[in-house]
Amino acid sequence: MKSKKPTIDDVARVSGVARVTVSRVLNGGPNVRDEVRDRVMRAVESLDYRVNPQARSLAGGASRLLAFVFASDPDSEPNSYYESALELGALRGCLALGYQVLIQNVPQNTPDRQKRIIDLITTQRCEGLILSPPYSDDVELIEAALAQGCRVVAVSPGGKGRGKADGVGIDDEAGGYDMARELLRLGHRRFGFIAGLEGHLSADRRLEGFKRALAGQGLGGEAYVALRGDFTFRSGTRLAPELLDHPLRPTVLVCANDDMAAGVLSAAHARGLNIPGDLSITGFDDAPVAGIVWPPLTTVNQPVKDLGQRAVELLVARLTGANLSPEPVFQLLDHMVVSRQTTAPV
């Protein structure tokens, strides 16, 4: 005999909360403490509870389809961890809430990028749109999507995109500041910095935070040299020699993500440098590669999977009317510096 499928009441019993609280969590509603939300989601996973999306769709006459748009560049490989972790988080959120998500990559440099995304909404009958950087900072795109009656959530907006639609992210400026403070504590005073793609405002804010921390110690532009990468391992290996040969002679190379930091680490090994004895290296994201490379990488942890899941929950809260706030809502998630073995005192 087949075992009985778990119900919402079973989820409520296992998580120790009221049925209405479970419903609020599953529909992405506001005013739920993080501890309660996590307890309910653990119960959902342990019971293998599933919402019936077909039944919900028939009842509501809606497609229950969300679109998650990523930027792509045919000339470089993607930041595989960041995108896949966001996707996994979004899929986890959709599974719990009875929605489906369509993943779409749109080249950010193509002239018709906005039309492609708007066409995606209309042709696929997408009820909601999640935008990753740099699209999450494209105010014109956000306004065009909202004009179509489509709900929008921006992931890690670093500019005016934060005020145009609901969003979720970490404080990137504070992340860059905290990392710089840790390096200053270790005695570093000469820095190389590899930034991200131009237009990626959330990553640019990491550099702003970095410079703010230096200014607090009376250090200005003479204390660092900054180059722009593209978030890929290849750009780390390409730019590392230029920084290592710079007259400033940095004692630490700071990277805007872990993929570039892994590339820098590879280039440093190729030169026979001892890490961290001869050179310290840091990344950002706390991707799996940070714990695989040798030595393990000092980095800033941002909960990328949670960003994807919260984006779905925010979107569904708007679609179901659980969030009726007249102003855009922004959820700020925690970050932390993770000190491993690629940093040491000067």
Side-chain angles (χ1 to χ4, degrees), residues 63-68 100-102 117 119-129 148-151 319:
S63 68
R64 304 190 72 82
L65 178 65
L66 312 178
F68 204 148
Q100 296 180 345
V101 61
L102 174 65
I117 296 172
D119 286 348
L120 179 69
I121 297 171
T122 56
T123 59
Q124 300 294 328
R125 295 182 62 239
C126 296
E127 294 186 67
L129 179 66
Q148 293 288 326
C150 182
R151 296 293 189 179
L319 292 171

Side-chain angles (χ1 to χ4, degrees), residues 178-179 182 258 281-283 285-286 290-291 296-302 335-343:
D178 292 343
M179 177 59 79
E182 171 63 13
D258 291 336
I281 300 171
T282 71
D285 284 340
D286 200 15
L297 186 66
T298 293
T299 185
V300 175
N301 173 274
Q302 67 164 329
H335 70 275
M336 64 180 293
V337 174
V338 181
S339 295
R340 295 196 177 100
Q341 298 176 42
T342 56
T343 50

Side-chain angles (χ1 to χ4, degrees), residues 66-72 86 101-107 113 116-118 120-121 129-136 141 155:
L66 312 178
F68 204 148
V69 177
F70 293 90
S72 62
L86 282 176
V101 61
L102 174 65
I103 306 298
Q104 188 72 27
N105 283 278
V106 178
R113 57 187 178 277
R116 290 193 189 189
I117 296 172
I118 298 303
L120 179 69
I121 297 171
L129 179 66
I130 303 173
L131 297 174
S132 67
Y135 290 130
S136 53
L141 170 61
V155 174

